[in-house]
Amino acid sequence: MSDTRSDPFAMPNAQSMLGMDPSQMNETFRSMTQKSMEQSKEAYGRMKAAADEATKALESTMENAHQGSLQLSKRAIDAMRTNAELGFQHLDSMMTAKTFAEMIEMQTAYVRKQVEMATDQVKEMQTLTQAVAQDMMKPGRDAFQKASKGN
């Protein structure tokens, strides 16, 4: 082996050039690769768990939206049925009116009752809509809070 100081064309040995033994380079590279793989697996696991949580939250949100829609539809149908029944009852009672004044009195009472009932129905639908919206947003809100605590 020749001395690199006396021979300008001699190749320096790898150990003196890198400051480490080449046989240890393989072990260092293997260790770094293994650590990188472990970190990648952990990151994938966290990403998969987050995706699973997001999927569950979306599924719950969709189910809550579906159930809420059914509740709102049922309530709207009930309101229409009640209004139709009261309308038919009103027509029946109008047939029994003996005077024009009695008919006006019955009509005025009916309209007043319809306005009161419509107001109550609107309030009820508003309350139900707010409850449905809260139920629908709950899974997403819970998932967000859980994710925020995890960071």
Side-chain angles (χ1 to χ4, degrees):
M1 189 171 205
S2 62
D3 186 8
T4 57
R5 288 176 285 205
S6 61
D7 183 2
F9 298 105
M11 293 293 291
N13 68 23
Q15 186 171 3
S16 64
M17 189 169 91
L18 297 174
M20 64 183 290
D21 185 4
S23 63
Q24 292 179 349
M25 284 179 53
N26 283 341
E27 185 58 38
T28 301
F29 181 72
R30 183 178 294 120
S31 174
M32 286 174 36
T33 302
Q34 185 175 4
K35 187 173 183 176
S36 176
M37 288 295 290
E38 289 171 3
Q39 289 173 343
S40 294
K41 285 179 182 178
E42 288 175 13
Y44 172 76
R46 288 190 302 270
M47 185 176 64
K48 184 179 182 312
D52 289 345
E53 287 295 319
T55 300
K56 288 177 188 174
L58 182 59
E59 288 171 350
S60 294
T61 298
M62 296 305 291
E63 179 61 27
N64 288 351
H66 177 71
Q67 292 301 320
S69 175
L70 289 176
Q71 287 178 325
L72 287 168
S73 296
K74 182 182 180 307
R75 182 58 199 116
I77 290 169
D78 288 345
M80 287 187 297
R81 181 180 296 128
T82 299
N83 293 342
E85 288 172 1
L86 289 176
F88 287 126
Q89 288 173 4
H90 173 65
L91 287 175
D92 281 344
S93 68
M94 291 286 279
M95 301 298 272
T96 64
K98 303 224 184 328
T99 65
F100 184 70
E102 189 180 351
M103 190 185 310
I104 296 296
E105 186 179 318
M106 292 171 113
Q107 183 64 25
T108 303
Y110 172 75
V111 169
R112 185 179 308 117
K113 185 174 181 177
Q114 283 296 103
V115 168
E116 289 172 2
M117 193 170 67
T119 302
D120 291 344
Q121 288 171 344
V122 166
K123 286 178 184 176
E124 186 179 340
M125 290 295 282
Q126 217 172 17
T127 301
L128 183 58
T129 301
Q130 288 172 348
V132 166
Q134 290 295 321
D135 288 347
M136 194 173 77
M137 293 185 319
K138 187 178 184 326
R141 188 174 47 246
D142 291 349
F144 177 76
Q145 288 174 346
K146 184 177 180 184
S148 295
K149 289 178 185 176
N151 290 333

